[in-house]
Amino acid sequence: MRYVLFVLLATFAFTSCRNEHNVETVVDPAASEMVEESEETTSIPYPAELESVFEAHGGLAVWNRMNNLCFEMEGRNGTEIHTTNLNNRITKIELKDWSIGYDGENVWLLQNKEN
């Protein structure tokens, strides 16, 4: 349990330490495409491993338009389902017996009941 809590807190610390950019989203009703305009013309240097993740998902422009990140991974207590809202970093990790999450203000823990 300590390990899961440590990983969760480390994940929050890692995701909260990011640079904010001024991005304006303009929607053209005729073309119905999103156009992003940024005041910065240079791109942020990302680690090579992270850039390969972006490329595997269609590039950085596609990644920036995504709203959620969901994945499953095998943990010691079974399959963990991780869901993160990429806009506000609200997070939920679900297992068979419990769920833990971050609602934007607080971290919470819920023990799941059997039906």
Side-chain angles (χ1 to χ4, degrees), residues 9 24-25 50 54-55 58 67 78 81-82 98 105-106 114:
L9 291 175
E24 180 181 329
T25 303
L50 187 55
F54 294 150
E55 290 304 315
N67 294 319
I81 302 170
H82 294 248
W98 54 267
E105 295 179 11
N106 299 308
E114 292 185 27

Side-chain angles (χ1 to χ4, degrees), residues 13-99:
F14 177 74
T15 58
S16 65
C17 297
R18 62 186 181 106
N19 295 330
E20 295 293 325
H21 299 284
N22 295 330
V23 176
E24 180 181 329
T25 303
V26 178
V27 178
D28 182 5
S32 69
E33 291 182 8
M34 289 182 134
V35 178
E36 295 185 23
E37 297 177 3
S38 176
E39 292 179 6
E40 294 184 9
T41 57
T42 60
S43 63
I44 299 172
Y46 291 105
E49 295 84 4
L50 187 55
E51 285 184 5
S52 67
V53 170
F54 294 150
E55 290 304 315
H57 292 89
L60 186 57
V62 172
W63 182 266
N64 286 333
R65 288 193 309 259
M66 291 184 187
N67 294 319
N68 291 318
L69 174 65
C70 301
F71 62 93
E72 293 182 6
M73 65 181 250
E74 286 298 320
R76 340 181 240 193
N77 297 326
T79 303
E80 299 176 1
I81 302 170
H82 294 248
T83 306
T84 302
N85 182 317
L86 296 174
N87 296 320
N88 57 20
R89 301 296 189 229
I90 292 176
T91 303
K92 183 176 182 183
I93 301 173
E94 299 174 275
L95 268 90
K96 181 180 79 169
D97 297 327
W98 54 267
S99 299

